[in-house]
Amino acid sequence: MKANRFVIYLLFFLSGAILNAQTETNLNLIYKLVDGSINKADSLVGGKKSIVLTTTIPSSLEVLKPQVIKAFSNRGYDLKVSSNMAEPGVNYNLVFAKVEYKNSFADGLFGGARVERYISVNGFFTITKSNTINQPVEFTKTLKDTVSTGEISAIENQSLPFTQAPIPSMPLLSNLWEPIAVVGTLIITVILLFTVRSK
């Protein structure tokens, strides 16, 4: 019976460790947001699947350009390199992609520190049809979750500054609560020990 309990506890512990190890990197989540931003183009081009695609991306985000092209291709677009009156032109303008960490907190009484992670991309589409440029259409895609502060160095890409952000410090009361709880527990234990022995 004890062996069965031990195995169950061990499996529970290992499954928790595996779940923690699967935190997606900031760059992968930015890729997903870029993919999601392409949805806006479907209604703008009027159902046409053959387009002339151009991209305007800041030099600091140039690494995202292949992901934009891949996202359009994956949605079934036939990408042309030269202009044609019959094919709409789509200019994908990426303004920013950024990561922010906010609101640090303790994960339970003796758990590690965690922060809220916000990842967002912003930009706009410009559609050209029959040599007429339509009004730009803006998009903003945002994702929010929580991550352990201990895994932040692993989910950031050190060669890509836009995947990094400063980590907020823990609130003072959160830092003090653990030692107070430990000392309080020890004091109560000692008092109970001497009370029981004296009787």
Short mmCIF file of all heavy atoms in Angstrom, two decimals, residues 160-191:
data_model
loop_
_atom_site.label_atom_id
_atom_site.label_comp_id
_atom_site.label_asym_id
_atom_site.label_seq_id
_atom_site.Cartn_x
_atom_site.Cartn_y
_atom_site.Cartn_z
N LEU A 160 17.68 38.48 -29.47
CA LEU A 160 16.56 39.27 -29.99
C LEU A 160 15.98 40.12 -28.86
O LEU A 160 15.19 39.63 -28.04
CB LEU A 160 15.48 38.34 -30.56
CG LEU A 160 15.91 37.44 -31.73
CD1 LEU A 160 14.81 36.46 -32.07
CD2 LEU A 160 16.30 38.27 -32.94
N PRO A 161 16.34 41.40 -28.79
CA PRO A 161 15.89 42.25 -27.68
C PRO A 161 14.37 42.35 -27.55
O PRO A 161 13.87 42.55 -26.44
CB PRO A 161 16.50 43.62 -28.02
CG PRO A 161 17.67 43.32 -28.89
CD PRO A 161 17.29 42.09 -29.66
N PHE A 162 13.62 42.22 -28.65
CA PHE A 162 12.17 42.38 -28.55
C PHE A 162 11.50 41.20 -27.82
O PHE A 162 10.33 41.26 -27.50
CB PHE A 162 11.53 42.61 -29.92
CG PHE A 162 11.61 41.44 -30.88
CD1 PHE A 162 10.63 40.45 -30.89
CD2 PHE A 162 12.67 41.33 -31.77
CE1 PHE A 162 10.70 39.38 -31.77
CE2 PHE A 162 12.75 40.27 -32.66
CZ PHE A 162 11.77 39.29 -32.65
N THR A 163 12.25 40.12 -27.56
CA THR A 163 11.70 39.00 -26.79
C THR A 163 12.03 39.14 -25.30
O THR A 163 11.68 38.25 -24.52
CB THR A 163 12.27 37.65 -27.28
OG1 THR A 163 13.68 37.59 -27.00
CG2 THR A 163 12.03 37.46 -28.77
N GLN A 164 12.67 40.24 -24.92
CA GLN A 164 13.10 40.43 -23.54
C GLN A 164 12.37 41.63 -22.92
O GLN A 164 11.90 42.51 -23.62
CB GLN A 164 14.60 40.67 -23.48
CG GLN A 164 15.43 39.57 -24.13
CD GLN A 164 16.86 40.00 -24.36
OE1 GLN A 164 17.42 40.77 -23.58
NE2 GLN A 164 17.46 39.53 -25.43
N ALA A 165 12.31 41.62 -21.58
CA ALA A 165 11.70 42.74 -20.85
C ALA A 165 12.21 42.70 -19.41
O ALA A 165 12.60 41.64 -18.91
CB ALA A 165 10.17 42.62 -20.88
N PRO A 166 12.20 43.86 -18.73
CA PRO A 166 12.60 43.87 -17.32
C PRO A 166 11.59 43.11 -16.46
O PRO A 166 10.39 43.12 -16.73
CB PRO A 166 12.65 45.35 -16.95
CG PRO A 166 11.96 46.08 -18.05
CD PRO A 166 11.91 45.19 -19.25
N ILE A 167 12.10 42.47 -15.41
CA ILE A 167 11.25 41.71 -14.49
C ILE A 167 10.91 42.59 -13.29
O ILE A 167 11.81 43.13 -12.65
CB ILE A 167 11.98 40.44 -14.00
CG1 ILE A 167 12.42 39.60 -15.20
CG2 ILE A 167 11.09 39.62 -13.08
CD1 ILE A 167 13.36 38.48 -14.85
N PRO A 168 9.62 42.75 -12.97
CA PRO A 168 9.26 43.59 -11.82
C PRO A 168 9.67 42.91 -10.51
O PRO A 168 9.70 41.68 -10.42
CB PRO A 168 7.73 43.70 -11.92
CG PRO A 168 7.31 42.50 -12.71
CD PRO A 168 8.44 42.19 -13.64
N SER A 169 9.99 43.72 -9.52
CA SER A 169 10.39 43.17 -8.22
C SER A 169 9.16 42.70 -7.45
O SER A 169 8.04 43.18 -7.68
CB SER A 169 11.15 44.21 -7.41
OG SER A 169 10.34 45.36 -7.23
N MET A 170 9.38 41.76 -6.55
CA MET A 170 8.29 41.23 -5.73
C MET A 170 7.85 42.29 -4.72
O MET A 170 8.68 43.04 -4.21
CB MET A 170 8.76 39.99 -4.97
CG MET A 170 8.88 38.76 -5.85
SD MET A 170 7.29 38.09 -6.35
CE MET A 170 6.71 37.43 -4.80
N PRO A 171 6.55 42.35 -4.40
CA PRO A 171 6.09 43.26 -3.34
C PRO A 171 6.76 42.91 -2.01
O PRO A 171 7.04 41.75 -1.73
CB PRO A 171 4.57 43.00 -3.28
CG PRO A 171 4.23 42.35 -4.57
CD PRO A 171 5.45 41.62 -5.03
N LEU A 172 7.02 43.93 -1.19
CA LEU A 172 7.74 43.75 0.07
C LEU A 172 7.04 42.77 1.00
O LEU A 172 7.68 41.91 1.61
CB LEU A 172 7.91 45.12 0.76
CG LEU A 172 8.71 45.11 2.07
CD1 LEU A 172 10.11 44.59 1.83
CD2 LEU A 172 8.74 46.50 2.68
N LEU A 173 5.72 42.86 1.11
CA LEU A 173 4.99 41.96 2.01
C LEU A 173 5.10 40.50 1.59
O LEU A 173 5.16 39.61 2.43
CB LEU A 173 3.51 42.37 2.09
CG LEU A 173 3.23 43.67 2.84
CD1 LEU A 173 1.75 44.01 2.78
CD2 LEU A 173 3.68 43.57 4.29
N SER A 174 5.16 40.25 0.29
CA SER A 174 5.31 38.88 -0.19
C SER A 174 6.66 38.31 0.23
O SER A 174 6.77 37.14 0.56
CB SER A 174 5.20 38.83 -1.73
OG SER A 174 3.92 39.22 -2.12
N ASN A 175 7.70 39.16 0.20
CA ASN A 175 9.03 38.70 0.60
C ASN A 175 9.10 38.42 2.09
O ASN A 175 9.86 37.56 2.53
CB ASN A 175 10.09 39.76 0.24
CG ASN A 175 10.28 39.86 -1.26
OD1 ASN A 175 9.97 38.93 -1.99
ND2 ASN A 175 10.77 40.99 -1.72
N LEU A 176 8.33 39.15 2.91
CA LEU A 176 8.39 39.00 4.35
C LEU A 176 7.51 37.87 4.86
O LEU A 176 7.76 37.32 5.93
CB LEU A 176 7.97 40.31 5.04
CG LEU A 176 8.92 41.50 4.88
CD1 LEU A 176 8.31 42.74 5.49
CD2 LEU A 176 10.26 41.20 5.51
N TRP A 177 6.48 37.51 4.12
CA TRP A 177 5.49 36.57 4.63
C TRP A 177 6.07 35.18 4.89
O TRP A 177 5.78 34.54 5.89
CB TRP A 177 4.31 36.49 3.66
CG TRP A 177 3.23 35.60 4.15
CD1 TRP A 177 2.82 34.42 3.61
CD2 TRP A 177 2.41 35.79 5.31
NE1 TRP A 177 1.80 33.87 4.33
CE2 TRP A 177 1.53 34.69 5.38
CE3 TRP A 177 2.33 36.76 6.28
CZ2 TRP A 177 0.59 34.55 6.39
CZ3 TRP A 177 1.39 36.63 7.30
CH2 TRP A 177 0.54 35.53 7.34
N GLU A 178 6.92 34.68 3.99
CA GLU A 178 7.48 33.34 4.15
C GLU A 178 8.30 33.20 5.43
O GLU A 178 8.07 32.28 6.22
CB GLU A 178 8.31 32.95 2.92
CG GLU A 178 7.48 32.36 1.82
CD GLU A 178 8.31 31.83 0.67
OE1 GLU A 178 9.42 31.33 0.92
OE2 GLU A 178 7.86 31.93 -0.47
N PRO A 179 9.29 34.08 5.69
CA PRO A 179 10.05 33.94 6.94
C PRO A 179 9.17 34.05 8.18
O PRO A 179 9.39 33.33 9.16
CB PRO A 179 11.06 35.09 6.88
CG PRO A 179 11.12 35.50 5.47
CD PRO A 179 9.81 35.15 4.86
N ILE A 180 8.17 34.94 8.15
CA ILE A 180 7.27 35.08 9.30
C ILE A 180 6.50 33.79 9.53
O ILE A 180 6.36 33.33 10.67
CB ILE A 180 6.30 36.27 9.08
CG1 ILE A 180 7.07 37.59 9.15
CG2 ILE A 180 5.17 36.25 10.10
CD1 ILE A 180 6.26 38.79 8.73
N ALA A 181 6.02 33.16 8.46
CA ALA A 181 5.27 31.92 8.58
C ALA A 181 6.15 30.80 9.13
O ALA A 181 5.72 30.02 9.98
CB ALA A 181 4.69 31.51 7.22
N VAL A 182 7.40 30.73 8.66
CA VAL A 182 8.32 29.68 9.12
C VAL A 182 8.64 29.87 10.60
O VAL A 182 8.57 28.92 11.40
CB VAL A 182 9.61 29.68 8.28
CG1 VAL A 182 10.66 28.77 8.89
CG2 VAL A 182 9.30 29.27 6.84
N VAL A 183 8.99 31.10 10.98
CA VAL A 183 9.34 31.37 12.39
C VAL A 183 8.12 31.13 13.29
O VAL A 183 8.23 30.54 14.37
CB VAL A 183 9.87 32.81 12.54
CG1 VAL A 183 10.02 33.19 14.00
CG2 VAL A 183 11.21 32.96 11.81
N GLY A 184 6.95 31.58 12.84
CA GLY A 184 5.73 31.37 13.62
C GLY A 184 5.43 29.90 13.82
O GLY A 184 5.06 29.46 14.93
N THR A 185 5.60 29.09 12.78
CA THR A 185 5.37 27.65 12.88
C THR A 185 6.35 27.01 13.87
O THR A 185 5.97 26.16 14.68
CB THR A 185 5.51 26.98 11.49
OG1 THR A 185 4.61 27.62 10.58
CG2 THR A 185 5.21 25.51 11.55
N LEU A 186 7.62 27.42 13.80
CA LEU A 186 8.63 26.88 14.73
C LEU A 186 8.30 27.24 16.17
O LEU A 186 8.42 26.41 17.08
CB LEU A 186 10.02 27.39 14.36
CG LEU A 186 10.63 26.81 13.08
CD1 LEU A 186 11.93 27.51 12.74
CD2 LEU A 186 10.86 25.31 13.23
N ILE A 187 7.88 28.47 16.41
CA ILE A 187 7.55 28.91 17.77
C ILE A 187 6.37 28.11 18.31
O ILE A 187 6.41 27.62 19.45
CB ILE A 187 7.24 30.43 17.80
CG1 ILE A 187 8.52 31.23 17.55
CG2 ILE A 187 6.60 30.83 19.12
CD1 ILE A 187 8.30 32.70 17.33
N ILE A 188 5.33 27.94 17.50
CA ILE A 188 4.16 27.16 17.93
C ILE A 188 4.54 25.72 18.20
O ILE A 188 4.09 25.12 19.19
CB ILE A 188 3.03 27.25 16.87
CG1 ILE A 188 2.48 28.69 16.84
CG2 ILE A 188 1.93 26.25 17.16
CD1 ILE A 188 1.54 28.96 15.70
N THR A 189 5.41 25.14 17.37
CA THR A 189 5.85 23.77 17.56
C THR A 189 6.60 23.61 18.88
O THR A 189 6.37 22.65 19.64
CB THR A 189 6.75 23.33 16.39
OG1 THR A 189 6.03 23.50 15.17
CG2 THR A 189 7.16 21.87 16.53
N VAL A 190 7.51 24.55 19.17
CA VAL A 190 8.29 24.49 20.43
C VAL A 190 7.36 24.64 21.63
O VAL A 190 7.48 23.90 22.62
CB VAL A 190 9.39 25.58 20.42
CG1 VAL A 190 10.03 25.69 21.80
CG2 VAL A 190 10.43 25.26 19.37
N ILE A 191 6.42 25.57 21.56
CA ILE A 191 5.47 25.77 22.67
C ILE A 191 4.66 24.50 22.91
O ILE A 191 4.49 24.05 24.05
CB ILE A 191 4.55 26.98 22.39
CG1 ILE A 191 5.36 28.28 22.46
CG2 ILE A 191 3.39 27.02 23.37
CD1 ILE A 191 4.60 29.49 21.98
#
